[in-house]
Amino acid sequence: MTWWANDDDDDDESEYDESSVRIRPNPKGNKPRTKIRPEYANAVPGRILTVDRGRFSVLVDEDTPDERAITASRARELGKTAIVTGDRVGLVGDTSGAEGSLSRVVKLTPRTTLLRRSADDTDAVERVIVANADQMLIVVAAANPEPRARLVDRYLVAAFDAGITPILFITKTDLADPSEFLSEFECLDLTVVTGQRDELPLDELKSLLMGHTTVTVGHSGVGKSTLVNALVPGTDRAIGRVNDVTGRGRHTSSSTLGLRVHDDAGRSGWIIDTPGVRSFGLGHVDPANVLKSFAGMAIPSSVPPADGIPLSQAHDWEIVDRVLAGELGASGIARIESLQKLVGSLS
């Protein structure tokens, strides 16, 4: 008989029986995570108005008697996905808007456009500024601070890249004649609006804003916040002044804010005010799109091209050759040379 058949086996096993031992659970242990996530079919739709330190001001029940702005936070499942002014989102939780209430952003609706910039042209890390805008209002002062054509070129390239229609607004025309500056852009089919410090063309601007979502961009001190305060009374965006020594504007608006604009006919549109910047990096832009977008926005020559192919359908090298040959005049040559430098910096 072997020791396997020993009658004392039961006694030995009982000595090592651990069935009644209580095991303390790991305090850091987590339940297995499922890959199935809620669909949030009943999420309340909303529009992001502004972002402030991890909290979102969101407009819900837009264009209804129950329209209200509520405060929300980001749901964990969205991770580090950027949520910016202009985004359309889905919310759950307390969407009553009562004081102290907080809802959660759980869904991000696919964007139609996305305006971005980088720290500089060599930085591929992009910063998302605004979502779902279809127009860009480029605000430039005729003087104090002096207008910078190269900065406007950068705004135009960002608009081209995002699929946003640019509009050029020249402020402070009572301080200087903007004709020479505007002549640099006469080769482009740009809508141009001008105004003085104490006489803003509000009716003309509102007619352009109705039915659109328009993002404002511009150098610090050009008058963007003054314009927004005039278009939306009661907004009280901080207004800065230009340094008399350096000629530079001081940053006043520190956040991006979406506001609704109304006209006398009862129509409405949205304007998104952004902080003023002194540089606009384009490290995220595909250089291959720059010249094509420029050619697509160029005013057609009065003389038909010899090969019958419009400029917007030409190859990059053909665009350069034809513009340098004078097809878009002196302003076209200045613009193509500026864009070539931009493309070079992006490459």
Side-chain angles (χ1 to χ4, degrees):
M1 180 180 294
T2 66
W3 66 275
W4 291 102
N6 194 320
D7 293 339
D8 295 332
D9 280 354
D10 292 341
D11 293 337
D12 292 340
E13 290 177 4
S14 62
E15 180 180 352
Y16 299 104
D17 182 13
E18 297 179 350
S19 61
S20 62
V21 173
R22 298 180 61 187
I23 300 176
R24 182 177 297 174
N26 180 2
K28 296 184 179 180
N30 295 317
K31 294 181 179 179
R33 297 186 64 184
T34 176
K35 293 184 179 180
I36 300 175
R37 294 288 180 265
E39 295 183 0
Y40 297 115
N42 296 324
V44 176
R47 179 197 296 263
I48 301 291
L49 300 178
T50 191
V51 182
D52 183 16
R53 291 167 293 184
R55 290 290 186 264
F56 308 99
S57 177
V58 191
L59 187 69
V60 296
D61 288 334
E62 187 174 336
D63 296 326
T64 74
D66 296 324
E67 178 181 289
R68 61 200 177 280
I70 67 172
T71 302
S73 62
R74 178 200 307 271
R76 181 178 297 178
E77 54 259 46
L78 288 181
K80 296 183 179 180
T81 303
I83 301 175
V84 298
T85 301
D87 265 325
R88 297 302 187 99
V89 297
L91 306 113
V92 299
D94 190 347
T95 60
S96 65
E99 185 176 356
S101 62
L102 183 68
S103 63
R104 287 187 301 134
V105 176
V106 295
K107 295 172 65 175
L108 188 61
T109 302
R111 295 151 166 167
T112 56
T113 63
L114 196 60
L115 179 63
R116 305 164 293 171
R117 74 180 179 95
S118 57
D120 55 54
D121 291 343
T122 61
D123 187 358
V125 178
E126 63 186 38
R127 178 185 175 187
V128 182
I129 303 174
V130 167
N132 299 319
D134 63 317
Q135 294 188 148
M136 175 190 287
L137 186 65
I138 303 171
V139 185
V140 180
N144 195 34
E146 293 299 315
R148 296 164 52 191
R150 304 292 83 78
L151 181 58
V152 174
D153 282 341
R154 289 178 170 274
Y155 291 139
L156 291 173
V157 168
F160 294 158
D161 180 66
I164 298 174
T165 303
I167 300 170
L168 188 57
F169 176 41
I170 310 296
T171 64
K172 305 182 184 181
T173 57
D174 51 317
L175 297 181
D177 184 356
S179 300
E180 183 177 352
F181 175 77
L182 288 175
S183 67
E184 298 194 38
F185 301 94
E186 63 184 10
C187 65
L188 298 177
D189 188 16
L190 266 177
T191 298
V192 178
V193 183
T194 61
Q196 301 180 5
R197 286 176 298 176
D198 56 354
E199 190 176 341
L200 294 173
L202 296 182
D203 290 339
E204 184 178 0
L205 286 169
K206 286 182 178 180
S207 68
L208 296 172
L209 300 179
M210 295 302 103
H212 297 279
T213 297
T214 306
V215 55
T216 66
V217 295
H219 193 290
S220 303
V222 296
K224 289 192 295 85
S225 295
T226 299
L227 171 64
V228 170
N229 289 341
L231 288 170
V232 190
T235 303
D236 296 330
R237 291 287 271 180
I239 299 173
R241 58 181 295 274
V242 177
N243 189 299
D244 295 330
V245 176
T246 65
R248 292 182 174 182
R250 200 180 87 189
H251 296 289
T252 51
S253 302
S254 60
S255 61
T256 300
L257 176 64
L259 297 161
R260 186 157 42 197
V261 183
H262 296 279
D263 68 2
D264 294 337
R267 300 177 301 169
S268 67
W270 286 89
I271 188 166
I272 301 178
D273 187 27
T274 64
V277 296
R278 297 189 183 116
S279 63
F280 202 94
L282 300 171
H284 61 281
V285 171
D286 182 359
N289 296 331
V290 175
L291 295 184
K292 277 290 183 186
S293 299
F294 161 75
M297 196 173 183
I299 297 175
S301 172
S302 58
V303 180
D307 55 7
I309 299 175
L311 193 66
S312 59
Q313 296 178 17
H315 297 292
D316 283 358
W317 60 269
E318 291 176 324
I319 293 173
V320 174
D321 288 347
R322 288 169 57 177
V323 173
L324 292 180
E327 186 167 322
L328 296 180
S331 66
I333 295 174
R335 293 280 60 72
I336 200 73
E337 289 177 346
S338 175
L339 293 179
Q340 282 180 300
K341 290 179 180 178
L342 271 179
V343 171
S345 68
L346 299 180
S347 302

